[in-house]
């Protein structure tokens, strides 16, 4: 698992989002039998667990110098997402029923999948960013900071230290 997460970080995010999207949209579109619904629900659960692992791994790659703060941010984002999803689900469930709930969830994950795919494609074709003079001045020229060269939208916000911590 670690070899896949380290070697293919974007694919490790895209794959579970894809499985979750297909499972949710299939659950919404099909008038399924209970065994098929159980398999689709298992796909949603598997995708959620795999996505959480991939996000944590990506966080470790992007913020190696401040993993405690980045981990807290990821955890907070997941908890806010759960709360907002529960609120939205509670609003949608009583009147239209569970099929609309699966459809809305599928459309939201489809939007996330599309955004991640577009961003990954954009990052693959653009050159690595360089730190601005202001960033270099703020951190000192001796420290040797540079922006991350890993693909992803969060990379613009993350600064990696390139010098040894033992100096």
């Amino acid at each position: 698992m670690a070899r896949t997460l380290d070697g293919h970080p974007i694919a490790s995010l895209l794959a579970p989002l894809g499985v979750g999207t297909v499972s949710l949209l299939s659950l919404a579109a099909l008038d399924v039998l209970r065994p098929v619904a159980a398999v689709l629900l298992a796909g949603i659960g598997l995708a959620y667990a795999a996505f959480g692992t991939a996000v944590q791994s990506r966080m470790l790659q992007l913020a190696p110098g401040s993993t405690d703060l980045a981990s807290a941010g990821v955890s907070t984002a997941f908890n806010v997402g759960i709360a907002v999803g529960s609120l939205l689900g509670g609003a949608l469930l009583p009147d239209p029923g569970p099929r609309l709930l699966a459809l809305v969830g599928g459309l939201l994950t489809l939007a996330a999948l599309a955004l991640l795919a577009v961003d990954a494609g954009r990052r693959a074709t653009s050159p690595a960013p360089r730190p601005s003079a202001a960033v270099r001045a703020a951190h000192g020229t001796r420290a040797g900071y540079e922006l991350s060269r890993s693909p992803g939208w969060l990379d613009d916000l993350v600064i990696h230290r390139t010098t040894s911590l033992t100096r």
Side-chain angles (χ1 to χ4, degrees), residues 1-48:
M1 180 78 161
R3 184 173 290 170
T4 302
L5 290 171
D6 289 340
H8 308 285
I10 301 302
S12 296
L13 293 168
L14 289 171
L17 273 177
V19 169
T21 301
V22 168
S23 296
L24 282 164
L25 292 177
S26 297
L27 200 57
L30 305 173
D31 191 16
V32 296
L33 301 170
R34 285 186 180 168
V36 176
V39 169
L40 292 173
L41 288 171
I44 295 165
L46 177 69
Y48 181 76

Side-chain angles (χ1 to χ4, degrees), residues 28-114:
L30 305 173
D31 191 16
V32 296
L33 301 170
R34 285 186 180 168
V36 176
V39 169
L40 292 173
L41 288 171
I44 295 165
L46 177 69
Y48 181 76
F51 185 72
T53 303
V55 168
Q56 286 290 339
S57 173
R58 188 74 176 137
M59 178 272 307
L60 289 172
Q61 291 173 345
L62 293 176
S66 60
T67 56
D68 52 347
L69 183 61
S71 182
V74 168
S75 180
T76 300
F78 265 82
N79 287 324
V80 167
I82 290 168
V84 170
S86 298
L87 183 65
L88 180 62
L92 290 175
L93 191 57
D95 293 328
R99 288 182 80 181
L100 182 63
L101 188 61
L103 177 64
V104 170
L107 292 175
L108 289 171
T109 57
L110 182 63
L113 181 68

